[in-house]
Amino acid sequence: MASPNVLSTTIGTNVFQIGNIKWKQFNVDTSPKPLLVFTPTVEGTYPVILFCHGFAICNSYYSKLLGHITSHGFIVVAPQLFTLGLPMPGLCEVKFAGKVANWIAGELQPKISENVQENVQAKLDTIVLAGHSKGGKTAFAVALGHAETTLKFSSLIGIDPVAGPSKCKITRTLPHILTGKAQSFDLNMPVVVIGTGLGPETGNCFPIACAPDGVNHEEFFYECKPPCAHFVTKDYGHMDMLDDDVSSLLKCMCKNGIAPKDLTRRTLGGLVVAFLKAYLYNQWEDFKAILEDPNLARAKLEDPVFYP
């Protein structure tokens, strides 16, 4: 048996390491939108996360982050909702996210069975909504009922969510979900919002910040009702959780941190895993440890806020 001292150092830190569960990813082209599916290859039943990408970002650019989460015992479905060459209005994106959610309900399990030899089952009563940047706003919009879905969602994760280039309503993406009022979101589920400290700063080749004040993670958290939590990776930028081999255009659009990007991916992945372990499995040790000591994370965190 591990000594008490050894045990205390592992609680809250293992989530920031790659998990012990082997996994694979595969493509699906028969859903409403092309998908990347990340799934464990170890027999078991796993919760499903529907992850929405940011504006004009390929879903494959999140492979390391989503792989980290999968390795701790989750199935992640990442649709390619649109691309830079084929943008679509926010309302269409939200509708397609809802259609993918409905596809998950009926078609995900057969696809997993086709691609994984082991008996891996999708736990469809614990669907998690998640997204980054504009995709984070899309996840919120779906949770708020702006898409017709047959599923009930268990929790919501916003990674540096953004509602548009400014507070001006004319420039914000549809649907307009931000109200400017505290705890105005009518969400009957736990929420975690994870922001970046450099998101509100302009990048090297783009005059507008990727996560401007007034429409970024701070406003989203401000409008959440308990239970909700807020973390901020202080020294990292809006795109720093993407894989290292993303296009140079994306790298220069936003203000980037100077530390290794692997640290922010492991931090974001660990926060997601700890949050979901707490609310899906009632395993609170990691989440509480991180709230009490943010220095456990691999990237520097500002003081977290949690309203139970």
Side-chain angles (χ1 to χ4, degrees), residues 57-80:
I57 300 177
C58 294
N59 52 5
S60 61
Y61 288 169
Y62 298 91
S63 291
K64 290 185 177 179
L65 171 62
L66 300 183
H68 181 118
I69 295 168
T70 303
S71 73
H72 286 272
F74 299 91
I75 296 169
V76 183
V77 177
Q80 187 64 55

Side-chain angles (χ1 to χ4, degrees), residues 51-57 59 62 79-82 93 132 134-135:
F51 180 85
C52 302
H53 62 81
F55 178 73
I57 300 177
N59 52 5
Y62 298 91
Q80 187 64 55
L81 295 174
F82 66 95
E93 183 182 356
H132 165 238
K134 188 184 181 188

